[in-house]
């Protein structure tokens, strides 16, 4: 990914490191206060072995973040490379204007969390902590329910870098 000037970062700059990463992409869904939302996430990782924990980072300008602030549970989904259409829906549309779940196969699971039927793998996690990280907030999750579905190579950042974000990347003042 290029920065605003179109460069990939120079030696000695953090971007020289960050731009070499190619993480798996996730779709995170949240339900609270009668609202549902979901977004494509590139900042996510297991963060503890014992007990098992996972952290997802949601942009403060994102509709899903606003719903997740009041949620008790989040669902995290892995997609396969052939599910780019789902990645475009959850990454390229905003929940402020679009109900992304219309026409999708999904079901309610633990705590009312929304799980996408066709995901490669998924889990529902109880939100244990919220941590401000700058323009994103980290949600540390305790997995309480999980499952898997379709096989195939997982969707990675390099597979989705051309998706135009539904919200601007920089927070709005």
């Amino acid at each position: 990914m290029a920065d605003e000037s179109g460069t990939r970062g120079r030696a000695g700059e953090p971007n020289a490191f960050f731009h070499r990463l190619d993480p798996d992409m996730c779709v995170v869904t949240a339900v609270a206060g009668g609202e549902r939302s979901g977004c494509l996430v590139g900042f996510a990782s297991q963060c503890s072995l014992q007990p098992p924990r996972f952290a997802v980072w949601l942009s403060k300008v994102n509709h899903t973040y606003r719903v997740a602030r009041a949620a008790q549970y989040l669902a995290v989904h892995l997609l396969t490379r052939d599910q780019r259409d789902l990645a475009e829906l959850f990454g390229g549309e905003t929940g402020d204007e679009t109900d992304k779940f219309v026409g999708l196969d999904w079901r309610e699971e633990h705590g009312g969390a929304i799980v996408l039927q066709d995901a490669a793998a998924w889990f529902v996690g109880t939100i244990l902590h919220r941590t401000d990280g700058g323009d994103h907030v980290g949600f540390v999750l305790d997995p309480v329910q999980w499952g898997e579905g379709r096989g195939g190579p997982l969707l990675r950042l390099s597979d989705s870098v051309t998706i135009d974000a539904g919200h601007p990347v920089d927070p709005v003042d």
Side-chain angles (χ1 to χ4, degrees):
M1 286 181 9
D3 64 18
E4 293 174 45
S5 68
T7 63
R8 293 190 51 89
R10 295 181 300 273
E13 291 182 0
N15 284 343
F17 177 89
F18 295 142
H19 288 169
R20 296 191 73 172
L21 300 176
D22 194 18
D24 297 328
M25 300 298 287
C26 304
V27 169
V28 175
T29 57
V31 177
E35 284 191 89
R36 62 187 182 194
S37 194
C39 64
L40 186 66
V41 172
F43 301 150
S45 178
Q46 182 175 350
C47 58
S48 174
L49 294 172
Q50 283 301 328
R53 298 287 187 258
F54 196 86
V56 296
W57 294 83
L58 302 178
S59 170
K60 291 178 181 178
V61 299
N62 194 299
H63 182 259
T64 304
Y65 164 71
R66 293 192 300 278
V67 174
R69 286 188 308 191
Q72 290 182 294
Y73 305 95
L74 297 179
V76 180
H77 308 79
L78 294 174
L79 303 179
T80 56
R81 284 187 183 147
D82 63 343
Q83 293 180 295
R84 185 176 162 90
D85 57 333
L86 274 177
E88 288 176 352
L89 173 65
F90 282 96
E93 299 292 331
T94 173
D96 293 320
E97 300 169 2
T98 302
D99 183 347
K100 299 176 190 180
F101 300 93
V102 171
L104 292 183
D105 291 328
W106 58 272
R107 65 184 182 277
E108 285 190 22
E109 290 292 350
H110 187 87
I114 292 178
V115 170
L116 303 175
Q117 298 269 99
D118 203 28
W122 60 271
F123 77 89
V124 173
T126 303
I127 300 171
L128 298 178
H129 307 284
R130 293 169 176 87
T131 302
D132 191 312
D135 61 357
H136 284 64
V137 171
F139 291 77
V140 177
L141 306 175
D142 175 17
V144 294
Q145 187 181 24
W146 46 88
E148 57 184 320
R150 64 176 34 228
L154 295 178
L155 183 79
R156 302 181 71 77
L157 176 61
S158 59
D159 301 317
S160 57
V161 72
T162 59
I163 296 172
D164 290 325
H167 271 289
V169 175
D170 296 326
V172 178
D173 294 328

